[in-house]
Amino acid sequence: DVTTKVTMNSDEVAEHFKHPLLQPVYEMSKVWFDEREILNFHDPLAAVTLFDETVCEYENGTSVVTRADDRDDGITDWSPEPLGPHRIGVTVNPKRFFESYFSVFQ
């Protein structure tokens, strides 16, 4: 999961989330950091790749999610296939991601 490669700890969030539009996110992050050490940028990475595909490298294939009756989540199986119907990010450039993400707040 490439989103686990774009993370910040609480000190980094405090340092980078000074823009007025990011202040509410910073305030909400305090609750998050009460129980966790890092913040993953799952949705922001997805959003950034809509405007800058060079942040990730991609691979085509087939993705199948299997759920068990006794679980609320699922297991994702990935099979690389050049002509597969799905496309996933297989690597991410964290530096490029953060530059792109924070550039809209300058």
Side-chain angles (χ1 to χ4, degrees), residues 16-86:
H16 288 88
F17 282 59
K18 293 181 179 176
H19 189 280
L21 291 175
L22 291 173
Q23 280 299 297
V25 178
Y26 172 67
E27 292 301 320
M28 289 185 288
S29 78
K30 292 176 184 178
V31 174
W32 178 265
F33 287 119
D34 285 344
E35 297 182 15
R36 298 162 189 88
E37 292 187 23
I38 62 168
L39 177 67
N40 290 300
F41 286 72
H42 301 294
D43 295 337
L45 177 59
V48 166
T49 62
L50 293 174
F51 301 99
D52 184 357
E53 283 194 352
T54 66
V55 169
C56 291
E57 290 183 11
Y58 302 89
E59 178 177 78
N60 285 2
T62 299
S63 179
V64 177
V65 178
T66 305
R67 284 193 61 208
D69 289 336
D70 61 336
R71 293 179 58 140
D72 291 331
D73 61 350
I75 303 296
T76 303
D77 292 311
W78 176 253
S79 299
E81 301 168 21
L83 299 177
H86 307 119

